[in-house]
């Protein structure tokens, strides 16, 4: 049976108001973990208000390309930060994704309940039933500037997931949405959390959502 929430995930409803609304950054990067604080890409990762929408990290196109700006020194010192943890998969999907999401707890966390037969996710063949959503791309805009980032999504409820998916629009240069999932039985949840800390927005930036 397809629930109302599941049907929304197929149709990819429009973003909910204010979930990913026009916002302005107010601070620079602050480290969130020992590993991530040691990495030092040019100009930092999180932009201040004046540099919002600029730089090498403004548009997330995939994990490998996102990590390219970091120097060889970082790759040698922190090799674990330059590969996805075991049991974590990143996929690029055209919309509609063809995924039936179900909440793990009320308004906190979602997993893949099922894939729509013949849908984009099913045809790609990477995602599986039971995979837990732990990261996804979303777009934030500020005036004429915008950014697309990968943000940790383990604590997102269904509505916020739908809003984030919907924000990946063609008018912002997005021809896909990127999802990062954790596969139970393969992934070490602790290691995944350490990895995701690198993508966690600083607490005093608009990208930091109240979840």
């Amino acid at each position: 049976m397809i629930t109302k929430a599941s049907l929304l995930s197929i149709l990819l409803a429009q973003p909910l108001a204010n979930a990913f609304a026009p916002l302005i950054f107010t601070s620079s990067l602050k480290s969130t973990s020992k590993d991530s604080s040691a990495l030092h890409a040019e100009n930092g990762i999180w932009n201040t208000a004046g540099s919002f929408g600029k730089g090498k990290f403004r548009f997330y196109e995939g994990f490998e390309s996102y990590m390219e700006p970091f120097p060889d020194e970082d790759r040698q010192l922190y090799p674990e930060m330059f590969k996805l943890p075991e049991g974590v998969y990143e996929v690029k999907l055209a919309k509609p994704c063809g995924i039936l999401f179900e909440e793990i707890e009320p308004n906190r966390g979602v997993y893949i309940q099922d894939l729509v037969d013949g849908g984009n996710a099913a045809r790609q063949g990477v995602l599986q039933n039971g995979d837990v959503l732990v990261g996804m791309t979303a777009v934030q805009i500020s005036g004429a500037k915008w950014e697309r980032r990968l943000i940790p999504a383990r604590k997102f409820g269904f509505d916020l997931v739908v809003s984030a998916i919907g924000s990946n629009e063609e008018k912002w240069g997005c021809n896909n949405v990127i999802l990062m999932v954790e596969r139970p039985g393969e992934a070490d949840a602790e290691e995944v959390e350490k990895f995701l800390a690198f993508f966690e927005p600083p607490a005093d930036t608009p990208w930091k959502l109240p979840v």
Side-chain angles (χ1 to χ4, degrees), residues 13 15 29 37 71 108 125 145 153 186-187:
L29 173 67
S37 64
R108 186 180 179 88
K145 299 179 180 180
E186 293 184 17

Side-chain angles (χ1 to χ4, degrees), residues 64-186:
E64 289 188 7
S65 62
Y66 188 80
M67 301 302 287
E68 284 179 358
F70 292 94
D72 290 340
E73 177 186 357
D74 283 341
R75 298 174 188 277
Q76 294 168 3
L77 291 173
Y78 307 97
E80 70 279 3
M81 295 301 300
F82 292 87
K83 62 180 180 180
L84 295 177
E86 183 176 358
V88 171
Y89 299 87
E90 182 179 81
V91 295
K92 299 179 181 180
L93 292 172
K95 298 190 296 183
C97 299
I99 299 173
L100 303 180
F101 288 112
E102 189 72 26
E103 289 188 334
I104 298 172
E105 300 177 16
N107 204 36
R108 186 180 179 88
V110 301
Y111 70 97
I112 296 176
Q113 183 187 55
D114 203 0
L115 302 177
V116 178
D117 289 341
N120 288 325
R123 288 199 303 269
Q124 189 182 65
V126 176
L127 299 177
Q128 297 181 7
N129 293 355
D131 286 347
V132 176
L133 184 68
V134 295
M136 64 192 309
T137 51
V139 173
Q140 285 280 28
I141 49 181
S142 176
K145 299 179 180 180
W146 50 272
E147 295 185 344
R148 179 168 96 154
R149 302 274 186 164
L150 181 90
I151 49 178
R154 190 187 292 278
K155 297 178 182 179
F156 283 14
F158 178 83
D159 289 343
L160 195 54
V161 168
V162 172
S163 177
I165 290 174
S167 72
N168 291 265
E169 298 182 81
E170 288 187 4
K171 65 181 179 180
W172 309 122
C174 306
N175 59 9
N176 59 38
V177 58
I178 301 178
L179 305 181
M180 190 174 286
V181 301
E182 172 188 284
R183 187 156 298 162
E186 293 184 17

Side-chain angles (χ1 to χ4, degrees), residues 42-62:
E42 295 179 22
N43 300 324
I45 295 175
W46 296 96
N47 295 324
T48 59
S51 60
F52 182 86
K54 301 177 182 179
K56 298 177 181 180
F57 299 100
R58 62 173 292 273
F59 191 91
Y60 188 91
E61 296 185 87

